[in-house]
Amino acid sequence: MKTERKSISSLILQIALGLLFLVSGIWSLQSGNGDEIAGAIRSIFDGDIEKVLVVVFAIIEIITGVFLLLRIFVFLGTNLDKLFMLIIMICWIVCIIMTDVIGPNGIINNLNSNFLNFLYRFASHLLILGAIIKVSE
């Protein structure tokens, strides 16, 4: 019973993460506004570097979303699977740093203003990181 529950919870997390990354990436490519990651990139960089980084992160998010959804149906092999999940985890940690630490509403730039909003956003990003770790097990 416990393994069934674990596999169902992992499947639900995997679907949710796949859809989250896929939609975020598509939004970033469509308008450049996308999600908080695109906003953090725009606040840190200007000009062509900003546009390139937004597109790169959007493509990474789309690939991640597609990979997570395909992983439900296709077995990629343990080494390749672990490599992809490690890349996804590293990218998400970079996104947390860019959004929650050095972004426009991050702890460095916005220390005294609306701390509860920061904590809520940071907690949601940590939940996603925890889901990535859980799905990669």
Side-chain angles (χ1 to χ4, degrees), residues 1 15 24 29 36 41 44 51-52 57 78 87 91 94-96 99 103 109 113 128:
M1 185 71 156
I15 292 169
S24 295
L29 283 181
E36 294 173 341
I41 290 171
I44 296 169
K51 292 175 186 174
V52 169
F57 270 99
T78 51
I87 291 169
C91 287
V94 168
C95 294
I96 288 174
T99 304
N109 295 325
S113 175
I128 294 170

Side-chain angles (χ1 to χ4, degrees), residues 10 29 31 37 43 48 60 80 91 95 99 102 113 115 125 136:
S10 293
L29 283 181
S31 64
I37 299 163
S43 71
D48 291 337
I60 288 172
L80 185 61
C91 287
C95 294
T99 304
I102 59 177
S113 175
F115 188 68
H125 293 157
S136 67

Side-chain angles (χ1 to χ4, degrees), residues 14 17 25 31 64 68 89 96 99 121 135:
Q14 192 164 337
L17 282 174
S31 64
T64 299
L68 285 170
M89 193 179 318
I96 288 174
T99 304
R121 188 179 59 252
V135 167

Side-chain angles (χ1 to χ4, degrees), residues 36-45 49-50 53-54 57 98:
E36 294 173 341
I37 299 163
I41 290 171
R42 278 194 311 281
S43 71
I44 296 169
F45 300 101
I49 295 173
E50 165 200 336
L53 286 176
V54 167
F57 270 99
M98 290 180 64

Side-chain angles (χ1 to χ4, degrees), residues 9-111:
S9 65
S10 293
L11 178 67
I12 291 170
L13 282 174
Q14 192 164 337
I15 292 169
L17 282 174
L19 293 174
L20 175 88
F21 285 132
L22 185 64
V23 170
S24 295
I26 290 171
W27 277 345
S28 293
L29 283 181
Q30 281 181 339
S31 64
N33 295 333
D35 52 5
E36 294 173 341
I37 299 163
I41 290 171
R42 278 194 311 281
S43 71
I44 296 169
F45 300 101
D46 289 327
D48 291 337
I49 295 173
E50 165 200 336
K51 292 175 186 174
V52 169
L53 286 176
V54 167
V55 169
V56 166
F57 270 99
I59 291 171
I60 288 172
E61 285 180 322
I62 291 172
I63 291 170
T64 299
V66 169
F67 168 72
L68 285 170
L69 293 172
L70 281 177
R71 225 176 129 216
I72 297 169
F73 306 106
V74 179
F75 180 71
L76 297 172
T78 51
N79 289 335
L80 185 61
D81 193 46
K82 287 180 183 181
L83 176 67
F84 278 143
M85 292 309 294
L86 180 65
I87 291 169
I88 292 167
M89 193 179 318
I90 290 170
C91 287
W92 190 253
I93 290 170
V94 168
C95 294
I96 288 174
I97 292 169
M98 290 180 64
T99 304
D100 296 327
V101 178
I102 59 177
N105 294 320
I107 194 73
I108 291 175
N109 295 325
N110 206 5
L111 181 62

